[in-house]
Amino acid sequence: QQQVKQSPQSLIVQKGGISIINCAYENTAFDYFPWYQQFPGKGPALLIAIRPDVSEKKEGRFTISFNKSAKQFSLHIMDSQPGDSATYFCAATFGNQFYFGTGTSLTVIP
Amino acid sequence: DTGVSQNPRHKITKRGQNVTFRCDPISEHNRLYWYRQTLGQGPEFLTYFQNEAQLEKSRLLSDRFSAERPKGSFSTLEIQRTEQGDSAMYLCASSLSGRNTIYFGEGSWLTVV
């Protein structure tokens, strides 16, 4: 059973555009929602994270929007750049349990 | 800060052979995790240590898999009698107690032929 559902599976965006990746969860015990960025052949690296008592968090060009009532959260990448081309994973955690989405492959074309 | 270190980075082995991967976590981190990742999927939890104690194991961790963290520092993941379905990237991650953030290593790719 997939604890965190992520969409889309792949995304192609023009340079300068906005990339949006969505995730949904069911377990209300989750208390931390990180996003990881993974380049080919590398391990995932923490990008940005949010707690459920906050509706939005912004770090540079990356923003997480969090809708607690809908049990959904999304990553927005503003002014997308070719260097952002990677696979992005959302995750939901409680305690020591981390559950990852299936990933979104983002391609930013020049 | 040298980050989480894993080796070997790549391993090709014949079916039926045993393989061992090593993980060196970030030095002050007392929690260590092993995950498995296949193409097109997110990391799947395998097992977790706090210091030297293995506190949790996933059902994914069959009896052919064993993990140790003998002195609460580095960890090893051994796969016995490898099968083709074991081909994946094995990721190690570490964190501090009470912190939500886990930091991944670059992974160890296993190909079973």
Side-chain angles (χ1 to χ4, degrees), chain B residues 1-2 6-7 29 38 60 62-64 73 75 77-78 87 90 93 105-106 110-112:
Chain B
D1 179 6
T2 57
Q6 293 187 244
N7 66 81
H29 285 185
T38 53
L60 293 175
S62 77
D63 56 5
R64 296 185 297 106
S73 56
S75 175
L77 176 69
E78 181 183 17
S87 296
Y90 290 85
E106 296 204 330
L110 172 65
T111 301
V112 181

CSV table of all heavy atoms in Angstrom, one decimal, chain B residues 1-2 6-7 29 38 60 62-64 73 75 77-78 87 90 93 105-106 110-112:
chain,number,residue,atom,x,y,z
B,1,ASP,N,32.4,18.1,7.5
B,1,ASP,CA,31.3,17.1,7.4
B,1,ASP,C,31.5,16.4,6.1
B,1,ASP,O,31.4,16.9,5.0
B,1,ASP,CB,30.0,17.9,7.3
B,1,ASP,CG,28.8,17.0,7.2
B,1,ASP,OD1,29.0,15.8,7.2
B,1,ASP,OD2,27.7,17.6,7.0
B,2,THR,N,31.8,15.1,6.2
B,2,THR,CA,32.1,14.3,5.0
B,2,THR,C,30.8,13.7,4.5
B,2,THR,O,30.8,13.0,3.4
B,2,THR,CB,33.1,13.2,5.3
B,2,THR,OG1,32.6,12.4,6.4
B,2,THR,CG2,34.4,13.8,5.7
B,6,GLN,N,29.2,5.5,1.4
B,6,GLN,CA,28.9,4.1,1.1
B,6,GLN,C,29.9,3.5,0.1
B,6,GLN,O,30.3,4.1,-0.8
B,6,GLN,CB,27.5,4.0,0.5
B,6,GLN,CG,26.3,4.4,1.4
B,6,GLN,CD,25.0,4.1,0.8
B,6,GLN,OE1,24.2,5.0,0.5
B,6,GLN,NE2,24.7,2.9,0.5
B,7,ASN,N,30.2,2.2,0.4
B,7,ASN,CA,31.0,1.5,-0.6
B,7,ASN,C,30.7,0.0,-0.5
B,7,ASN,O,30.2,-0.5,0.5
B,7,ASN,CB,32.5,1.8,-0.4
B,7,ASN,CG,33.0,1.3,1.0
B,7,ASN,OD1,33.3,0.1,1.1
B,7,ASN,ND2,33.0,2.2,2.0
B,29,HIS,N,25.9,11.3,14.1
B,29,HIS,CA,24.5,10.8,13.9
B,29,HIS,C,24.4,9.4,14.6
B,29,HIS,O,25.2,8.5,14.3
B,29,HIS,CB,24.2,10.7,12.4
B,29,HIS,CG,23.8,12.0,11.8
B,29,HIS,ND1,23.4,12.1,10.5
B,29,HIS,CD2,23.9,13.2,12.3
B,29,HIS,CE1,23.2,13.4,10.2
B,29,HIS,NE2,23.5,14.1,11.3
B,38,THR,N,14.6,0.9,-6.5
B,38,THR,CA,14.6,0.4,-7.8
B,38,THR,C,14.2,1.5,-8.8
B,38,THR,O,13.7,2.5,-8.4
B,38,THR,CB,13.7,-0.9,-8.0
B,38,THR,OG1,12.4,-0.5,-7.5
B,38,THR,CG2,14.2,-2.0,-7.2
B,60,LEU,N,10.3,-6.4,3.9
B,60,LEU,CA,11.1,-6.5,2.7
B,60,LEU,C,12.4,-7.2,3.0
B,60,LEU,O,13.1,-7.7,2.1
B,60,LEU,CB,11.4,-5.1,2.1
B,60,LEU,CG,10.2,-4.4,1.5
B,60,LEU,CD1,10.7,-3.0,1.0
B,60,LEU,CD2,9.6,-5.1,0.3
B,62,SER,N,14.2,-10.0,3.8
B,62,SER,CA,14.0,-11.4,3.9
B,62,SER,C,15.2,-11.9,4.8
B,62,SER,O,16.2,-11.2,5.1
B,62,SER,CB,14.0,-12.1,2.6
B,62,SER,OG,15.4,-12.1,2.0
B,63,ASP,N,15.1,-13.3,5.1
B,63,ASP,CA,16.1,-13.9,5.9
B,63,ASP,C,17.5,-14.0,5.2
B,63,ASP,O,18.5,-14.3,5.8
B,63,ASP,CB,15.7,-15.2,6.4
B,63,ASP,CG,15.3,-16.2,5.3
B,63,ASP,OD1,15.5,-15.8,4.1
B,63,ASP,OD2,14.8,-17.3,5.6
B,64,ARG,N,17.5,-13.6,3.9
B,64,ARG,CA,18.8,-13.6,3.2
B,64,ARG,C,19.6,-12.3,3.5
B,64,ARG,O,20.7,-12.2,3.2
B,64,ARG,CB,18.6,-13.8,1.7
B,64,ARG,CG,18.0,-15.1,1.3
B,64,ARG,CD,18.0,-15.2,-0.2
B,64,ARG,NE,17.1,-14.3,-0.8
B,64,ARG,CZ,17.5,-13.2,-1.5
B,64,ARG,NH1,18.8,-13.0,-1.6
B,64,ARG,NH2,16.6,-12.3,-2.0
B,73,SER,N,28.7,2.7,15.0
B,73,SER,CA,29.3,3.7,14.0
B,73,SER,C,28.9,3.3,12.6
B,73,SER,O,27.8,3.5,12.2
B,73,SER,CB,30.8,3.9,14.2
B,73,SER,OG,31.4,2.6,14.1
B,75,SER,N,27.9,0.7,9.5
B,75,SER,CA,27.0,-0.5,9.4
B,75,SER,C,27.3,-1.3,8.1
B,75,SER,O,27.9,-0.7,7.2
B,75,SER,CB,25.6,0.1,9.3
B,75,SER,OG,24.7,-1.0,9.1
B,77,LEU,N,25.5,-4.2,5.4
B,77,LEU,CA,24.3,-4.9,4.9
B,77,LEU,C,24.8,-6.0,4.1
B,77,LEU,O,25.5,-5.8,3.1
B,77,LEU,CB,23.4,-3.9,4.1
B,77,LEU,CG,22.2,-4.5,3.5
B,77,LEU,CD1,21.2,-4.9,4.5
B,77,LEU,CD2,21.5,-3.6,2.4
B,78,GLU,N,24.5,-7.2,4.5
B,78,GLU,CA,24.9,-8.4,3.7
B,78,GLU,C,23.7,-9.1,3.1
B,78,GLU,O,22.6,-9.2,3.7
B,78,GLU,CB,25.6,-9.4,4.6
B,78,GLU,CG,26.1,-10.7,3.9
B,78,GLU,CD,26.7,-11.7,4.7
B,78,GLU,OE1,26.5,-11.7,6.0
B,78,GLU,OE2,27.4,-12.6,4.2
B,87,SER,N,18.6,-7.0,-7.5
B,87,SER,CA,19.3,-5.9,-8.2
B,87,SER,C,18.6,-4.6,-7.9
B,87,SER,O,17.4,-4.4,-8.1
B,87,SER,CB,19.3,-6.1,-9.7
B,87,SER,OG,20.0,-7.3,-10.0
B,90,TYR,N,21.1,0.3,-3.1
B,90,TYR,CA,20.9,0.2,-1.6
B,90,TYR,C,21.5,1.5,-1.0
B,90,TYR,O,22.6,1.9,-1.2
B,90,TYR,CB,21.6,-1.0,-1.1
B,90,TYR,CG,20.9,-2.3,-1.5
B,90,TYR,CD1,21.2,-2.8,-2.8
B,90,TYR,CD2,19.9,-2.8,-0.7
B,90,TYR,CE1,20.5,-3.9,-3.2
B,90,TYR,CE2,19.2,-3.9,-1.2
B,90,TYR,CZ,19.5,-4.5,-2.4
B,90,TYR,OH,18.8,-5.5,-2.9
B,93,ALA,N,21.2,6.0,5.1
B,93,ALA,CA,20.9,7.4,5.6
B,93,ALA,C,21.2,7.4,7.0
B,93,ALA,O,21.2,6.4,7.7
B,93,ALA,CB,19.5,7.7,5.2
B,105,GLY,N,23.4,8.7,1.7
B,105,GLY,CA,24.6,8.5,1.0
B,105,GLY,C,24.3,8.5,-0.5
B,105,GLY,O,23.1,8.6,-0.9
B,106,GLU,N,25.3,8.2,-1.3
B,106,GLU,CA,25.2,8.2,-2.7
B,106,GLU,C,24.7,6.8,-3.2
B,106,GLU,O,24.4,6.6,-4.4
B,106,GLU,CB,26.4,8.6,-3.4
B,106,GLU,CG,26.8,10.0,-3.1
B,106,GLU,CD,27.7,10.7,-4.2
B,106,GLU,OE1,28.5,9.9,-4.8
B,106,GLU,OE2,27.6,11.9,-4.3
B,110,LEU,N,23.7,-2.5,-6.9
B,110,LEU,CA,23.9,-4.0,-7.0
B,110,LEU,C,23.2,-4.5,-8.3
B,110,LEU,O,22.1,-4.3,-8.5
B,110,LEU,CB,23.3,-4.7,-5.8
B,110,LEU,CG,23.3,-6.3,-5.9
B,110,LEU,CD1,24.8,-6.8,-5.9
B,110,LEU,CD2,22.6,-6.9,-4.7
B,111,THR,N,24.0,-5.2,-9.1
B,111,THR,CA,23.5,-5.9,-10.3
B,111,THR,C,23.8,-7.4,-10.1
B,111,THR,O,24.9,-7.8,-9.9
B,111,THR,CB,24.1,-5.4,-11.6
B,111,THR,OG1,23.9,-4.0,-11.7
B,111,THR,CG2,23.5,-6.1,-12.8
B,112,VAL,N,22.7,-8.2,-10.1
B,112,VAL,CA,22.9,-9.6,-10.0
B,112,VAL,C,22.7,-10.2,-11.4
B,112,VAL,O,21.6,-10.1,-12.0
B,112,VAL,CB,21.9,-10.2,-9.0
B,112,VAL,CG1,22.1,-11.7,-8.8
B,112,VAL,CG2,22.1,-9.5,-7.6
